[in-house]
Amino acid sequence: MNTSKSEAAYRLLHTRITEGTFTPGYRLVLGTIANELGCSVVPVREAIRRLEAEGMVNFERNVGATVAAADNALYLHTMQTLAIIEGAATALSAPFVDADQLAAARAINQAMTDLLTDFDPPRFTELNNEFHQVLYRNCPNPHILDLVHRGWNRLALMRSSSFTHIPGRARESVREHAQLLDLIEAQAPAGEIEQAARAHRTNTLNAYLAAANLPASPL
């Protein structure tokens, strides 16, 4: 029972943090959340520990749990890490991406392209997430895949605003998506796919850093 309640608490808190209902600094009161879910504080505490491990929640003695603030350093470190591990996951997944998955990814990228005319950053970000999931989900290395999921969870705090700050990056992003799909469809060498995926992630990072008047990533 605790396992299912813990998962329910995790999903509730994760959704409210990523959607902005619980803003950075918001205090997570275990009793209040437990009452809402109709459970004890034990599964809520487990969910908060899980979110803390993912970088979405901070815990301080005598203060308790609060929603972590999204900052440029967190974005830099997470994107640098994702550029490496997601590039590897995409390359390892590529041989297992079938025709239906390629078609689905192209359809998602077309939907992203259609959004460029009347730009909707949150929806664009949602589709971007779906696009990359198609490409890396078949990665046969579960450890790399777990790290990718953790990275995306950390980005969840800030991804809703990422393309708001760098709307010009969106057009380049869909173009790079198309190039990446062409490489996968052509069964290009794994190293070539990995480098393309890594460059794609790094280009987004550097566009964000430039908008914040910060130096580009050295990686």
Side-chain angles (χ1 to χ4, degrees):
M1 179 64 70
N2 275 349
T3 299
S4 60
K5 289 294 185 181
S6 176
E7 182 64 24
Y10 172 81
R11 291 180 181 177
L12 174 71
L13 294 174
H14 189 282
T15 298
R16 290 186 179 176
I17 291 171
T18 56
E19 290 182 349
T21 303
F22 291 169
T23 57
Y26 183 90
R27 187 180 177 196
L28 302 172
V29 181
L30 275 66
T32 301
I33 299 166
N35 288 338
E36 181 176 349
L37 290 169
C39 64
S40 72
V41 298
V42 174
V44 177
R45 186 180 294 113
E46 292 172 352
I48 286 176
R49 285 174 179 166
R50 183 175 168 188
L51 290 164
E52 182 184 13
E54 294 173 354
M56 300 182 73
V57 167
N58 292 327
F59 187 86
E60 295 182 42
R61 187 180 297 275
N62 300 323
V63 175
T66 57
V67 176
D71 57 34
N72 290 331
L74 176 63
Y75 188 80
L76 169 64
H77 298 155
T78 304
M79 288 288 279
Q80 283 178 332
T81 303
L82 267 179
I84 297 169
I85 60 176
E86 190 182 346
T90 301
L92 290 171
S93 175
F96 307 103
V97 176
D98 60 28
D100 289 343
Q101 291 170 327
L102 271 173
R106 290 193 186 280
I108 294 170
N109 201 43
Q110 182 58 54
M112 295 174 72
T113 302
D114 294 341
L115 282 177
L116 296 176
T117 302
D118 186 14
F119 195 50
D120 180 350
R123 178 57 179 159
F124 188 90
T125 296
E126 181 182 354
L127 289 171
N128 185 60
N129 191 350
E130 293 177 12
F131 174 86
H132 285 287
Q133 284 180 351
V134 173
L135 299 194
Y136 66 65
R137 68 163 55 122
N138 294 324
C139 175
N141 186 319
H143 303 295
I144 291 177
L145 198 55
D146 178 63
L147 290 173
V148 173
H149 290 154
R150 288 174 180 269
W152 277 93
N153 280 334
R154 289 192 180 96
L155 282 182
L157 283 169
M158 63 201 87
R159 291 296 289 179
S160 61
S161 64
S162 178
F163 284 102
T164 300
H165 295 306
I166 50 172
R169 169 64 188 150
R171 189 171 299 277
E172 288 299 307
S173 185
V174 295
R175 182 182 61 79
E176 291 168 8
H177 284 176
Q179 293 174 343
L180 191 53
L181 289 173
D182 288 344
L183 288 174
I184 294 172
E185 187 171 30
Q187 300 180 348
E192 190 174 346
I193 294 172
E194 180 181 8
Q195 286 300 315
R198 182 183 298 195
H200 171 65
R201 181 68 54 215
T202 301
N203 288 342
T204 299
L205 168 60
N206 285 336
Y208 183 93
L209 293 174
N213 294 316
L214 294 170
S217 170
L219 295 179

